[in-house]
């Protein structure tokens, strides 16, 4: 197990982190959590994190962000730390329960919904565009000095969806349309986010 002293924490310029690994460590990553089987025991709500600026090439956050930042200031600081430690063009792989699925509500340690629009609020490009159009969206990227672009979203349909639509091919447009009306159709979503920094 790695020491919590920063001098003993790996500082390679091409680190890959699996934050909130729990009992699912990943080979080739520094596995980090307060519980489970991590390489490094760390409370992700305590700052600063023990990695140097611009040293991380990829971060996995699999079923993690929904557990962090009950206080919005803490949640926003997590995004600032991600931005600080990541290299230009680094990738964040984020998987969360869908905010309209019972899995999100059933776990008492889930403290916030993480949605694609919520992630897009950290894009300075979109912040400027929304400001020019007069939209009432929070300009989190500009306000916090971070910049992330949401590059891909994929959805995991639930068993309820397949009961309603047993066809072998998922009609993704219908899934997204119906999920705006009905709960429990999407179990989880996965987002790929790129860190936008000058090289």
């Amino acid at each position: 197990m790695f020491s919590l002293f920063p001098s003993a924490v790996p500082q390679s310029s091409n680190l890959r982190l699996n934050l909130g690994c729990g009992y699912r460590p990943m080979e080739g990553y520094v596995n980090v959590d307060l519980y489970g089987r991590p390489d490094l025991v760390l409370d992700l709500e305590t700052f600063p994190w023990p990695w140097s600026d611009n040293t991380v090439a990829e971060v996995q956050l699999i079923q993690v962000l929904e557990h962090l930042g009950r206080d919005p200031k803490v949640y926003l600081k997590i995004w600032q730390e991600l931005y600080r430690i990541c290299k230009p063009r680094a990738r964040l792989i984020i998987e969360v329960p869908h905010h309209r699925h019972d899995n999100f509500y059933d776990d008492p340690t889930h403290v916030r919904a993480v949605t694609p629009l919520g992630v897009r609020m950290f894009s300075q490009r979109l912040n400027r565009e929304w400001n020019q159009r007069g939209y009432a969206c929070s300009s989190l990227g500009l306000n916090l000095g971070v910049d992330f672009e949401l590059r891909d979203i994929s959805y995991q349909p639930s068993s309820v969806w397949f009961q309603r639509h047993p066809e072998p091919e998922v009609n993704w447009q219908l899934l997204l349309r119906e999920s705006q009306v009905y709960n429990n159709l999407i179990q989880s979503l996965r987002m790929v986010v790129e860190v936008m920094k000058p090289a």
Side-chain angles (χ1 to χ4, degrees):
M1 199 167 286
F2 295 123
S3 166
L4 285 178
F5 295 104
S7 61
V9 173
Q11 294 295 331
S12 155
S13 63
N14 208 27
L15 278 171
R16 297 192 303 164
L17 302 178
N18 179 18
L19 299 183
C21 67
Y23 292 93
R24 301 177 314 276
M26 297 174 65
E27 192 172 331
Y29 290 78
V30 178
N31 297 285
V32 181
D33 207 328
L34 195 56
Y35 307 104
R37 293 199 318 257
D39 302 314
L40 173 64
V41 175
L42 181 69
D43 181 352
L44 293 171
E45 295 186 321
T46 301
F47 312 106
W49 291 348
W51 296 284
S52 300
D53 298 0
N54 304 309
T55 54
V56 176
E58 182 180 308
V59 179
Q60 297 272 342
L61 293 148
I62 307 302
Q63 301 286 332
V64 174
L65 275 181
E66 68 275 13
H67 296 273
L68 299 175
R70 180 185 303 274
D71 178 343
K73 290 180 182 176
V74 172
Y75 182 72
L76 297 179
K77 184 63 178 173
I78 288 168
W79 283 93
Q80 288 179 302
E81 282 295 278
L82 286 167
Y83 191 73
R84 178 185 68 78
I85 67 173
C86 281
K87 299 169 62 171
R89 318 302 282 197
R91 292 190 332 153
L92 311 180
I93 311 299
I94 299 170
E95 183 181 306
V96 291
H98 193 271
H99 60 283
R100 295 193 64 175
H101 194 281
D102 286 350
N103 287 351
F104 173 71
Y105 295 102
D106 289 343
D107 188 333
T109 68
H110 290 172
V111 298
R112 72 171 50 255
V114 180
T115 67
L117 178 57
V119 171
R120 286 187 175 111
M121 288 182 184
F122 296 104
S123 163
Q124 291 189 13
R125 177 186 60 82
L126 287 176
N127 291 167
R128 291 187 191 95
E129 184 180 310
W130 294 337
N131 288 340
Q132 288 174 352
R133 295 183 180 186
Y135 294 169
C137 293
S138 297
S139 299
L140 297 178
L142 293 172
N143 296 346
L144 300 172
V146 302
D147 197 5
F148 297 92
E149 286 288 341
L150 179 56
R151 296 299 189 200
D152 187 58
I153 309 169
S154 54
Y155 298 91
Q156 176 61 52
S158 70
S159 59
V160 175
W161 166 263
F162 288 111
Q163 288 167 10
R164 289 173 55 84
H165 300 280
E167 304 85 14
E169 293 292 323
V170 175
N171 183 330
W172 297 104
Q173 290 181 341
L174 181 62
L175 172 64
L176 294 177
R177 234 180 9 252
E178 288 197 356
S179 71
Q180 294 177 335
V181 179
Y182 303 108
N183 292 338
N184 294 312
L185 297 184
I186 300 175
Q187 182 171 318
S188 62
L189 62 145
R190 177 184 170 93
M191 295 176 274
V192 178
V193 178
E194 185 176 357
V195 178
M196 308 305 293
K197 281 184 174 180

